[in-house]
Amino acid sequence: MYGSSSTFSKDDHVISISSTKKRTAAVIEEVAQRDPKLAKRIMTNRRSAMKSKQRKKVYVQTLECNIQKLQFEAAALIAQLELWKEDTRCITADNNRLKGCLHNILEDIQLQDSKDFSLVFFSAFYPKWSIRFV
């Protein structure tokens, strides 16, 4: 366990190892002479730790690269969204203008229809005068 001390006995030698201390090469040589299995385990653990650190470093670099790519893509999408918003504002303004024009055209048609109706109505009652207005 972390922070604990282990005591091993071999050939009437007692080896005390604190897991919180960083073992130097000289200490490992001494341990190797007294307990080769423990020294082998320590070296295997060190190699495993170095490989793990290397994998973690590669993983973090990959994540940082992905972050940069996603930030660039997000910036491009935000710019595209702003263009689309501006296009939407222009199209909405054109649509409102065209609705107004259509409304005016419909009013003109209704006015013309009412004039035509009035002319037909007038000519029905005053046939002599209807020739002058046509």
Side-chain angles (χ1 to χ4, degrees):
M1 280 201 224
Y2 183 78
S4 66
S5 295
S6 301
T7 305
F8 297 94
S9 176
K10 182 176 181 182
D11 300 329
D12 298 324
H13 296 276
V14 176
I15 304 169
S16 179
I17 302 170
S18 174
S19 63
T20 58
K21 292 182 183 176
K22 187 168 182 167
R23 297 177 189 98
T24 61
V27 172
I28 292 176
E29 279 293 321
E30 183 183 330
V31 170
Q33 291 173 357
R34 293 182 183 174
D35 189 357
K37 287 184 179 181
L38 177 61
K40 183 179 178 183
R41 193 176 79 214
I42 291 170
M43 292 307 296
T44 304
N45 189 28
R46 279 190 177 182
R47 281 191 291 274
S48 177
M50 288 187 336
K51 286 179 183 179
S52 177
K53 286 178 185 177
Q54 185 61 32
R55 283 192 307 267
K56 181 180 178 182
K57 183 179 177 183
V58 170
Y59 177 70
V60 168
Q61 288 173 345
T62 303
L63 289 177
E64 288 172 350
C65 183
N66 287 342
I67 287 171
Q68 288 177 350
K69 286 179 185 177
L70 291 172
Q71 285 174 339
F72 179 76
E73 185 178 341
L77 290 172
I78 288 170
Q80 183 66 41
L81 179 63
E82 290 303 318
L83 290 174
W84 286 343
K85 283 181 180 179
E86 183 59 31
D87 287 347
T88 302
R89 282 191 286 271
C90 291
I91 290 169
T92 302
D94 284 346
N95 190 29
N96 289 335
R97 183 185 56 82
L98 290 172
K99 282 180 182 178
C101 290
L102 179 62
H103 181 72
N104 291 339
I105 290 169
L106 291 175
E107 283 181 345
D108 289 346
I109 290 172
Q110 287 175 349
L111 183 62
Q112 186 63 38
D113 286 347
S114 66
K115 285 182 181 178
D116 290 345
F117 178 75
S118 297
L119 185 60
V120 169
F121 184 75
F122 182 77
S123 63
F125 287 104
Y126 303 102
K128 295 181 185 176
W129 293 353
S130 62
I131 297 171
R132 295 183 195 161
F133 293 113
V134 177

